[in-house]
Amino acid sequence: MSAPVVFDPTGFAFPANQRRALQWAMVIAIVAMFAGVAHGLAQALSYAGIDILQYFPGLRSYYQGLTVHGVAQALILTFAFSNGFLPMVTARALGRPLNTPLLHATFWAMAVGCGLAGYALMTNQASVLYTSYSPLQAHWTYYLGLALVVVSTWLASANMFLTLRAWRREHPGTRIPLLAYIAILSYAMWDLASIGIAVLFLGFLLPWSIGWLPKVDPLFNRVLFWFTGHAIVYAWLLPAYVSWYALIPKQVGGKIISDRLTRAVFVLFLLLSIPTGFHHQYADPGIAERYKAFQAVLTFGVFFPSIATAFSVMASLEIGGRARGGTGLLGWIRKLPWGDPSVVAQLLAMLTFVLGGFTGLINASFTMNQVVHNTAWMPGHFHMTVGSAVLLSIIGVSYWAVPYLTGRRLWAPKLAVAQSWIYTVGLMIFARGLISGGLQGMPRRTFIAQATYTGEGWGLAGALTGIGGSIMTAGMLLFFLIMIMTRLVGKRDGAPKDIPVSETLTPPSPSGWDARLDRIGFWVVMAIVLILLAYGPFFLTYHLNLVSPGFRLY
Ligand code: HAS
Ligand code: CU
């Protein structure tokens, strides 16, 4: 008899100790979010000419605040969340618990990493911004701390791979459940991508900050950073896509429209996320135009799986909206569960991401990039991607995951619906300010509140940024209140007992071309081939110039 194609893990429940470990991953994520939000308000108000940085105890410079903001939000929040979320859904999809020692090791690597990097940041010894560009030099604890954060993501991946291997042994011939497959591929992509930053930190910046390596090569360091640094944005985004594809349909009463399309989308991200990093360096000298042009083309390639996602996620939503009685061309939209805080946060995440994605295409265009590079446009772009699609999805997932993990019902669900709306309205005003300011030449990473110059249109752009940023902060404070109250006073009955896992319209086929998508090892090798094509010529022909000592300017 042939093996069943669809595996059914009904009845799976996490052991209590694993549930606790997963809760702690969420705690780190939410604490990092809080640290980042306070500094976010200061950055936004700076664009409006208001300086509140002077009131932050212990803060010595604008760049210290900006580094804390970027590191906390972009590096800690995102990965602390994914370290919990991806293994959690993998275990649920495979119907088997995770490896407990690995789960604890993941947590401790992340916690110690945050402690070390946090020490350097708080004492103003790491005001190098989240891009960690040399020749700005940080204290060694910053590099070691962030290296440990990366190690924690590897441990989380190892946990998923081991769980998958054990499951495969017991289920030969059965297709990998879709949810586990896309969660594992998300981190497989990141594992490859993180090699760049691992070499950068361990091979150059850490020995340099200790004094073992007297000088570094800033251009080469930037190349290593962006090798990881473009793919990192998909490492942030793909967990949100996991939720949009595989959880949200169930939450709105719809179905995943295609098993094979969903798998193919994640394979495309594995293949194309990394060989595109030069699109952050169009303006850098020392990199041949032809390498930049090749990666520009691949950047338009990695746009494609997001477009496929837009159409297929919308189709699953439509199935849900119609099942709930929606009719006509757009009537199904109204019928979506707009009263469910988890769903609303993620619908708003998707809607704002449309603009985030399109501004990305402008960045990616070789010539238009000249207009927007290093201007306020850029934070406008990335707050509509990581600051909306990713953040609002993390918030949306938290609205069911925190009750699921703590066994306590969400506190004040109506307020939670309002929370996402308030944040989103603030975000749109804020991004409108930054985008228009950027088009009028307003620089990014500049303390505008103390700038001795100004430009046409910066007044309105800055005011909108300040107003929008304040509204976003109010939205985030509500989120923290809801999380704390859920933990403290949330009712002990009525919390979700299971993760919302969606069904697919048609189950995966046991044979045929799409069964080959499950050969993860093969796709990893293909990804490496593409990386070699895109980066190989540069690395092979580059002469390392160790020229720069370290500087601490702020
Ligand atoms: Fe980007 C710079 C190009 C996506 C983040 N990006 C950045 C930086 C960050 C960032 C942080 O080519 C600044 C880095 C720094 O500090 O210097 N980006 C792109 C492109 C995409 C893109 C082509 N970026 C992202 C995502 C990010 C992110 C995602 C975070 C998560 N970006 C660039 C470039 C630069 C850059 C250059 C360098 C610029 C420079 O000069 O420095 C694409 O992947 C975007 C594709 C996405 C779409 C949107 C699809 C829409 C979907 C939603 C569907 C809606 C539904 C709603 C279903 C085309 C999937 C239905 C709901 C109903 C209610 C009906
Ligand atoms: Cu990029």
Side-chain angles (χ1 to χ4, degrees):
M1 207 176 79
S2 64
V5 176
V6 181
F7 169 72
D8 181 11
T10 308
F12 169 74
F14 276 99
N17 62 343
Q18 298 204 347
R19 218 172 246 260
R20 258 195 312 277
L22 293 168
Q23 263 182 57
W24 277 103
M26 294 295 289
V27 169
I28 297 193
I30 293 173
V31 170
M33 211 191 258
F34 189 72
V37 162
H39 288 284
L41 177 65
Q43 311 302 331
L45 290 178
S46 152
Y47 281 105
I50 303 167
D51 173 11
I52 59 161
L53 277 174
Q54 48 185 317
Y55 305 115
F56 279 63
L59 199 69
R60 263 158 281 171
S61 80
Y62 167 79
Y63 289 105
Q64 186 186 1
L66 189 52
T67 313
V68 171
H69 179 67
V71 171
Q73 305 293 57
L75 304 180
I76 309 293
L77 158 65
T78 46
F79 286 113
F81 170 77
S82 302
N83 278 353
F85 176 66
L86 295 176
M88 175 171 81
V89 295
T90 302
R92 164 59 177 79
L94 298 176
R96 54 186 311 132
L98 296 159
N99 175 310
T100 306
L102 266 179
L103 204 53
H104 289 156
T106 306
F107 169 79
W108 283 112
M110 174 59 88
V112 174
C114 288
L116 285 171
Y119 159 76
L121 287 165
M122 293 306 165
T123 52
N124 195 29
Q125 298 188 77
S127 300
V128 296
L129 304 182
Y130 86 102
T131 40
S132 307
Y133 287 155
S134 61
L136 292 178
Q137 192 183 54
H139 192 256
W140 61 268
T141 47
Y142 172 80
Y143 302 118
L144 185 64
L146 289 186
L148 277 173
V149 169
V150 174
V151 168
S152 80
T153 62
W154 292 343
L155 293 168
S157 319
N159 209 338
M160 291 194 273
F161 281 119
L162 287 178
T163 312
L164 175 67
R165 199 177 63 174
W167 178 88
R168 270 188 149 167
R169 273 206 206 110
E170 283 172 16
H171 302 88
T174 307
R175 295 290 305 273
I176 303 173
L178 182 65
L179 174 57
Y181 179 85
I182 59 180
I184 289 169
L185 240 59
S186 302
Y187 254 12
M189 182 284 286
W190 166 247
D191 291 339
L192 277 183
S194 55
I195 294 171
I197 209 166
V199 173
L200 171 64
F201 276 31
L202 300 178
F204 293 95
L205 300 183
L206 182 59
W208 178 58
S209 63
I210 297 173
W212 295 345
L213 183 70
K215 291 180 178 174
V216 290
D217 177 343
L219 174 64
F220 191 69
N221 288 359
R222 285 166 72 96
V223 171
L224 286 175
F225 182 84
W226 289 115
F227 177 99
T228 300
H230 178 67
I232 207 174
V233 311
Y234 296 121
W236 305 332
L237 180 71
L238 292 185
Y241 275 13
V242 166
S243 172
W244 299 0
Y245 269 107
L247 309 183
I248 278 286
K250 168 90 172 182
Q251 290 176 275
V252 302
K255 288 193 174 171
I256 304 169
I257 60 152
S258 164
D259 179 276
R260 53 166 74 122
L261 175 76
T262 310
R263 285 181 211 251
V265 160
F266 279 76
V267 166
L268 283 174
F269 277 116
L270 171 65
L271 293 175
L272 294 171
S273 293
I274 303 163
T276 47
F278 280 154
H279 69 225
H280 291 262
Q281 297 185 279
Y282 289 150
D284 279 16
I287 302 166
E289 295 284 288
R290 58 183 181 282
Y291 305 151
K292 294 179 185 171
F294 182 56
Q295 298 207 9
V297 173
L298 292 182
T299 302
F300 281 88
V302 76
F303 164 71
F304 179 75
S306 280
I307 290 294
T309 301
F311 285 111
S312 47
V313 170
M314 202 145 10
S316 332
L317 293 175
E318 183 175 348
I319 296 173
R322 293 205 186 280
R324 300 165 68 89
T327 51
L329 191 60
L330 298 175
W332 57 270
I333 297 178
R334 234 170 4 98
K335 291 284 180 184
L336 291 170
W338 290 98
D340 176 339
S342 170
V343 171
V344 170
Q346 296 182 73
L347 290 177
L348 295 173
M350 296 170 198
L351 288 171
T352 49
F353 189 49
V354 173
L355 294 173
F358 288 148
T359 48
L361 285 182
I362 291 169
N363 302 345
S365 308
F366 212 118
T367 41
M368 273 197 279
N369 181 273
Q370 305 288 314
V371 179
V372 292
H373 183 63
N374 274 345
T375 70
W377 165 286
M378 225 36 83
H381 160 67
F382 66 69
H383 283 86
M384 290 192 290
T385 51
V386 64
S388 72
V390 176
L391 181 79
L392 281 166
S393 298
I394 293 178
I395 288 177
V397 167
S398 306
Y399 282 152
W400 65 255
V402 170
Y404 167 70
L405 290 171
T406 57
R408 288 174 182 270
R409 205 192 304 170
L410 185 70
W411 181 80
K414 284 210 177 97
L415 192 63
V417 169
Q419 182 277 323
S420 300
W421 278 105
I422 293 170
Y423 180 82
T424 305
V425 169
L427 174 89
M428 294 322 287
I429 299 171
F430 168 86
R432 160 68 173 76
L434 288 174
I435 289 281
S436 68
L439 289 175
Q440 286 166 312
M442 186 159 74
R444 71 181 283 199
R445 293 184 158 177
T446 303
F447 195 20
I448 298 288
Q450 282 185 359
T452 49
Y453 49 87
T454 185
E456 198 187 324
W458 293 12
L460 176 63
L464 290 173
T465 306
I467 294 169
S470 308
I471 301 174
M472 289 161 79
T473 310
M476 288 310 296
L477 292 178
L478 272 181
F479 174 70
F480 299 124
L481 177 73
I482 294 164
M483 287 293 104
I484 291 170
M485 294 302 278
T486 299
R487 179 68 191 81
L488 294 181
V489 301
K491 295 225 166 60
R492 282 194 183 276
D493 61 313
K497 294 269 176 289
D498 194 10
I499 294 172
V501 182
S502 313
E503 282 173 37
T504 312
L505 274 183
T506 41
S509 59
S511 55
W513 70 268
D514 60 313
R516 279 184 223 138
L517 294 171
D518 285 13
R519 292 194 203 154
I520 297 175
F522 171 79
W523 295 110
V524 169
V525 172
M526 287 297 116
I528 293 173
V529 169
L530 262 179
I531 294 169
L532 290 177
L533 282 176
Y535 272 106
F538 173 83
F539 284 124
L540 285 176
T541 53
Y542 189 75
H543 296 285
L544 200 62
N545 269 320
L546 297 174
V547 286
S548 189
F551 291 92
R552 283 204 190 158
L553 303 177
Y554 325 107

